[in-house]
Amino acid sequence: MSNDKYAPKPEHKFTFGLWTVGNRGADPFGTQVRAKLSSVEIVEMLAEVGAYGVNFHDNDLVPIDSTAAEQDAIVRDFKKACDDNNIKVPMATVNLFYEPIFRDGAFTANDTRVRAYAVQKTMRAMDLGAEFDAETFVLWGGREGVETDACRKTTDAIKRFREALDYLCEYSKSQNYGYKFALEAKPNEPRADIYFPTTGAYLAFIETLENKEMVGVNPEVAHEQMPGLNMSHAVAQAWEAGKLFHIDLNDQVPGRYDQDLRFASVSPKQSFWLVKFLEDVGYQGMRHFDAHAYRTEDYDGVKDFARGCMKTYLILKDKAERWNKHEEIGSILAEIEGANKDNHVGSFTQDGAASLLSRQFDRAEIASKGLKYERLDQLTMDILFGVD
Ligand code: GCO
Ligand code: MN
Ligand code: MN
């Protein structure tokens, strides 16, 4: 088949959440349009389309009011389905947003009972994930925010969030779970404002934790693009800090509600830089698609959606290889590198500072030569459009 080079393979580490391909198309204005699939059926579907793994919130798999016996049966059936279909569970997470008890937040809520319940629910979700050898535990604080800042001091919210994280890290250690926690930022929705609105905000917060080496981030394309930020810059900062523990791939038009569209379906160029970054640096983690199919689709359309996410990733990976090997691009990059070589400021020394202070700069000469970024960008476009 001519398209075989874009076929997903286990080594690509493509994963989907139960809530993504299992999404039934409900939105705030309309009800479900697709029938409910069981978790086992979702695993079968993921195997059919060629995914590596499946992730879940505690209650995607085990309904919140299940008895212990019901939970055991669900876990047993799901484990069997994962084993039979060779589908891994690399990440688990906890739903701290759906139930009315979380209307004022979970770890940051004003009522201490809510905060204690949120920590308990997370511990149980960690127990559940550990049964499937999940290595990463994602925390998305969807309700950790406000409609009105009258309700609490923001600094209290930050302290409460820290207290919860410190507790959960100790719990993971006490159980030998070996989890890495990945904090997922989002600026708003469902709250008017969510605390820690960007990946950068979480990166700063993580440094204040007792077990900071256990905690990193899970940047999501849609969440960075909603406020018009550059996802690959957020990812690069996380990577450079050694904190890129997970990633949520999807797509989003800036300034709109969280669209969770098929990967790269809105912004192929930004997605190209993102894929190129992940591949160039050798990111070894999961490529998790936190997206869902259009409401117009039946389950064949959901498969088209899932296949599309993976295929586009592999196309962009291929394009990135082409970009890296492109002769003219290489020569422009060499020129850029040439300008980066001599007279670097370096680390501070008294002598170096004296010499820098006395150095003469010919501003006009330095600014006189074009930098060829137009050409470089058009060559990128040629590759993306498939004419080079
Ligand atoms: C969203 C979020 C979620 C989280 C998920 C995992 O905007 O709905 O992206 O999908 O990723 O809850 O914690
Ligand atoms: Mn999202
Ligand atoms: Mn997400």
Side-chain angles (χ1 to χ4, degrees), residues 220 223 258 260:
E220 171 169 318
H223 300 179
D258 186 25
D260 291 339

Side-chain angles (χ1 to χ4, degrees), residues 15-28 33-34 186 189 220 222-223 248-252 257-263 265 288-299 301-307 309:
T15 63
F16 292 83
L18 281 181
W19 70 95
T20 64
V21 280
N23 178 287
R24 299 174 59 196
D27 66 23
V33 294
R34 290 183 281 269
K186 187 176 181 182
E189 195 196 338
E220 171 169 318
H223 300 179
D248 275 3
L249 301 171
N250 55 17
D251 214 346
Q252 169 78 31
Y257 66 95
D258 186 25
Q259 294 177 305
D260 291 339
L261 293 164
R262 192 178 76 257
F263 179 57
S265 59
H288 174 234
F289 297 104
D290 187 9
H292 49 77
Y294 304 148
R295 194 163 184 264
T296 50
E297 305 307 293
D298 59 11
Y299 280 109
V302 172
K303 288 181 207 165
D304 289 335
F305 148 83
R307 290 190 173 109
C309 285

